[in-house]
């Protein structure tokens, strides 16, 4: 099997290293020799994490996709401009595609998979979701007897790495982000990680596989972790929760819920214990029940593990795969975020004067919303108090109306923070 690689960075370098060090066991499974013939990079003189002596390096990525000997192209460049052009060219040249690029699939997956079907080549992307965890193969193959009810998980390693260190070590957001970048976890543009865009790309893929819908990245309600503060983490901890950034896809009466946002998770749930760069995806399905998939969500060899598993699929011509099943994908309606019901956490900064608590709780009462728990702290020399409140299940529209009322009141001192709670029962 002759393979061409686009990109020899974190993931591409990891693929070369794992193919070299595990060549015997990989051959035992695939039954063939995998030969890395050519690799396209931006700068040929750059120092690599892998040995490239036996690979022809080129700064012209089209040399890879046009190479006559290549059967499979691994797209490990990232982005969705040049990467799309290269993948289209490779498919049109009859090459199978393996990619780790969720941005490419989130934005152009529907058309690329249709093209791959038309050209009768495989288009596989296990590494695009949750790094090394074989979650796509689990949903497609392991759970093929099930109707999936929901998928909820931590699907961005960088975001989880930041939230974990903020909570455990009280570290500064930007310091931890820099460390995640140095470790090769973050996207080229890290706002994709911290603003939830990367998780939304991944959720669009998970939902497509789980529910048989087309990729609907542009319909996902997306919120990142950039406005999560130490105060939020401290108050959530005191109330018995951990803040995690979750991607959630759920069957609803009139369609599917698709949302990505910071979420308070009860401390006694397994997902609350998933720390650092680790990811975890919880799937609820009718025959199996609840199952949880856990492992490294980013990193060179972890991600390479998923890329090479796709190579094995192509070599062994596994029948269950994203390309072949795609013909039946439909556009399932995505439920409007305002009508979604959830428990919520609200954090307020108010003037600590007599009767303020009654006024705050009065606003909840006026909206017919029950308060589950409330803590108040005197925090600063300006006589302001932090109040943290958790609610019963309520629509997003209602909680936003409560936020507006509080923010318009004379006692309010700062924007009201609102974070979803998921009980994961
Ligand atoms: P990376 O370390 O930045 O590597 C990108 C590689 O692409 C580099 O080797 C770079 O060449 C090459 N490249 C970029 N632009 C090019 C161009 N115009 N022409 C030729 N080569 C070009 O990125 P990465 O972290 O490996 O990520 C690659 C893909 O995998 C992305 O889609 C990412 O989202 C995805 N992914 C990453 C991880 C992870 O843990 N990092 C996990 C899962 C999925 P030079 O080295 O010469 O600059
Ligand atoms: N930037 C991504 C993350 C890489 O941190 O999860 C893995 O997809």
């Amino acid at each position: 099997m002759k393979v061409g690689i686009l990109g020899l960075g974190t993931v591409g370098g990891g693929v070369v290293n794992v193919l070299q060090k595990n060549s015997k066991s990989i051959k035992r499974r695939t039954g063939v020799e995998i030969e890395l013939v050519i690799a396209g990079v931006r700068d040929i003189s750059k120092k690599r994490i892998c040995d490239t002596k036996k690979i022809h390096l080129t700064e012209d990525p089209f040399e890879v996709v046009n190479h006559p000997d290549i059967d499979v192209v691994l797209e490990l460049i990232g982005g969705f401009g040049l990467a799309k052009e290269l993948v289209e060219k490779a498919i049109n040249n009859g090459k199978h595609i393996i990619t780790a690029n969720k941005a490419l699939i989130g934005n152009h997956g529907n058309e690329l998979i249709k093209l791959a079907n038309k050209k009768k080549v495989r288009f596989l992307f296990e590494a695009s979701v949750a790094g090394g965890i074989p979650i796509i193969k689990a949903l497609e193959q392991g759970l093929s007897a099930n109707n999936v009810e929901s998928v909820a998980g931590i699907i961005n390693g960088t975001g989880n790495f930041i939230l974990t260190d903020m909570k455990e070590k009280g570290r500064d957001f930007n310091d931890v982000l820099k460390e995640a970048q140095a470790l090769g976890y973050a996207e080229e543009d890290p706002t994709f990680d911290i603003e939830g865009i990367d998780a939304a790309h991944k959720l669009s893929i998970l939902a497509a596989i789980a529910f048989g819908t087309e990729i609907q990245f542009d319909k996902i309600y997306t919120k990142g972790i950039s406005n999560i503060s130490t105060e939020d983490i401290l108050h959530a901890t005191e109330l018995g929760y951990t803040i995690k950034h979750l991607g959630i896809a759920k069957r609803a009466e009139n369609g599917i819920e698709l949302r990505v946002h910071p979420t308070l998770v009860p401390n006694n749930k397994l997902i609350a214990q998933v720390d650092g760069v680790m990811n975890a995806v919880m799937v609820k399905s009718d025959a199996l029940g609840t199952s949880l998939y856990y492992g490294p969500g980013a990193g060179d060899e972890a991600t390479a593990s998923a890329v090479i598993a796709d190579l094995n699929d192509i070599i062994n011509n596994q029948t269950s795969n994203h390309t072949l099943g795609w013909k039946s994908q439909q556009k399932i309606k995505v439920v409007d975020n305002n009508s979604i019901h959830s428990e919520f956490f609200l954090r307020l900064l108010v003037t600590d004067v007599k009767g303020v608590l009654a006024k705050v709780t009065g606003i909840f009462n006026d909206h017919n919303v029950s308060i589950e728990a409330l803590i108040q702290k005197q925090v600063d020399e300006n006589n302001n108090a932090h109040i943290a409140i958790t609610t019963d299940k309520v629509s997003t529209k209602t909680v936003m109306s409560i936020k507006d009322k509080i923010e318009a009141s004379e006692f309010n001192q700062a924007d009201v923070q609102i974070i979803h709670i998921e009980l994961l029962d």
Side-chain angles (χ1 to χ4, degrees):
M1 172 65 71
K2 291 193 185 337
V3 176
I5 307 191
L6 294 165
L8 275 186
T10 303
V11 183
V15 167
V16 176
N17 285 334
V18 174
L19 279 174
Q20 278 169 0
K21 81 173 182 197
N22 292 349
S23 62
K24 275 199 188 125
S25 58
I26 293 169
K27 189 173 175 194
R28 182 168 54 78
R29 293 190 174 95
T30 57
V32 302
E33 205 78 57
I34 295 169
E35 188 187 343
L36 296 175
V37 176
I38 183 169
V41 293
R42 203 165 16 199
D43 176 3
I44 216 166
S45 64
K46 206 171 183 177
K47 198 167 180 287
R48 306 275 155 205
I49 60 167
C50 58
D51 179 359
T52 57
K53 278 200 282 295
K54 290 187 182 152
I55 309 169
H56 172 64
L57 297 188
T58 174
E59 286 179 3
D60 173 12
F62 285 92
E63 202 189 323
V64 178
V65 298
N66 289 326
H67 197 295
D69 299 343
I70 297 302
D71 307 299
V72 183
V73 170
L74 313 183
E75 187 283 298
L76 307 171
I77 283 186
F80 46 91
L82 176 65
K84 177 173 181 258
E85 237 185 285
L86 290 165
V87 165
E88 278 171 342
K89 187 76 191 157
I91 294 174
N92 282 319
N93 285 340
K95 322 260 183 232
H96 301 297
I97 304 293
I98 294 172
T99 180
N101 188 343
K102 51 275 166 159
L104 177 68
I105 305 166
N107 287 283
H108 301 293
N110 294 320
E111 56 187 286
L112 289 174
I113 293 166
K114 273 184 197 134
L115 180 66
N117 268 328
K118 196 171 140 206
K119 293 285 172 185
K120 298 195 172 12
V121 297
R122 311 282 297 276
F123 185 96
L124 305 187
F125 40 87
E126 181 63 71
S128 68
V129 182
I133 306 174
I135 183 64
I136 291 178
K137 292 189 204 308
L139 283 167
E140 285 201 324
Q141 297 167 13
L143 295 173
S144 58
N146 290 253
N147 289 303
V148 175
E149 288 148 25
S150 67
V151 178
I154 298 169
I155 48 180
N156 181 270
T158 303
N160 202 42
F161 189 76
I162 294 172
L163 287 177
T164 303
D165 266 24
M166 281 175 75
K167 181 179 179 194
E168 302 298 329
K169 300 177 189 158
R171 285 182 67 192
D172 174 69
F173 187 105
N174 289 310
D175 275 357
V176 197
L177 172 60
K178 277 193 196 120
E179 191 183 339
Q181 287 177 294
L183 289 164
Y185 300 156
E187 295 303 299
E188 187 168 25
D189 176 356
T191 56
F192 276 45
D193 296 291
I194 63 179
E195 297 305 345
I197 303 159
D198 177 72
H201 288 145
K202 292 166 175 167
L203 189 72
S204 72
I205 298 168
L206 285 179
I209 311 273
F211 302 125
T213 174
E214 286 189 346
I215 302 277
Q216 301 194 69
F217 163 67
D218 55 342
K219 300 274 170 32
I220 299 178
Y221 170 77
T222 304
K223 215 171 163 192
I225 59 168
S226 58
N227 83 336
I228 297 297
S229 67
T230 315
E231 278 79 28
D232 295 321
I233 293 173
L234 291 173
H235 281 91
T237 307
E238 200 158 322
L239 288 161
Y241 297 93
T242 300
I243 301 181
K244 292 293 178 191
H245 189 249
L246 296 191
I248 298 168
K250 256 186 208 174
R251 261 187 214 286
E253 242 170 63
N254 48 350
I256 44 172
E257 289 180 21
L258 291 182
R259 47 197 172 94
V260 161
H261 48 66
T263 312
L264 268 72
V265 178
N267 281 335
N268 61 357
K269 298 291 169 182
L270 281 172
I271 281 192
Q273 324 296 327
V274 173
D275 285 338
V277 74
M278 303 307 269
N279 281 191
V281 181
M282 190 176 108
V283 181
K284 284 190 185 171
S285 60
D286 54 358
L288 178 65
T290 301
S291 50
L292 186 71
Y293 306 84
Y294 169 82
D300 52 358
E301 296 200 357
T303 312
S305 164
V307 171
I308 296 167
D310 277 347
L311 254 180
N312 181 53
D313 267 14
I314 288 177
I315 293 165
N316 287 315
N317 202 19
Q318 301 281 355
T319 48
S320 167
N321 72 81
H322 345 307
T323 321
L324 300 180
W326 213 262
K327 285 176 197 144
S328 56
Q329 305 295 99
Q330 296 165 350
K331 201 160 197 148
I332 303 176
K333 184 177 180 297
V334 178
V335 177
D336 174 40
N337 186 53
N338 271 326
S339 62
I340 286 171
H341 283 67
S342 167
E343 287 85 1
F344 283 94
F345 162 95
L346 293 90
R347 187 174 55 75
L348 293 54
L349 188 67
V350 297
T351 326
D352 190 24
V353 291
K354 204 168 159 208
V356 70
L357 208 52
K359 285 183 185 164
V360 169
T361 54
I363 293 175
F364 284 78
N365 202 32
D366 293 346
H367 286 80
N368 206 19
V369 172
S370 297
I371 290 176
E372 271 290 303
L374 185 151
I375 47 177
Q376 179 183 352
K377 286 190 177 182
Q378 188 85 30
V379 282
D380 61 26
E381 62 289 348
N382 300 325
N383 201 32
N384 288 334
H386 277 287
I387 298 179
I389 292 173
T390 60
T391 70
D392 252 354
K393 223 168 211 176
V394 50
S395 75
T396 309
K397 191 174 172 195
T398 304
V399 86
M400 292 313 286
S401 169
I402 292 175
K403 172 180 158 75
D404 289 346
K405 284 272 156 37
I406 295 171
E407 285 177 352
S409 66
E410 72 289 354
F411 54 79
N412 185 58
Q413 295 298 320
D415 288 351
V416 173
Q417 172 70 296
I418 295 193
I419 310 179
H420 287 76
I421 299 175
E422 280 290 325
L423 300 178
L424 299 173
D425 287 330

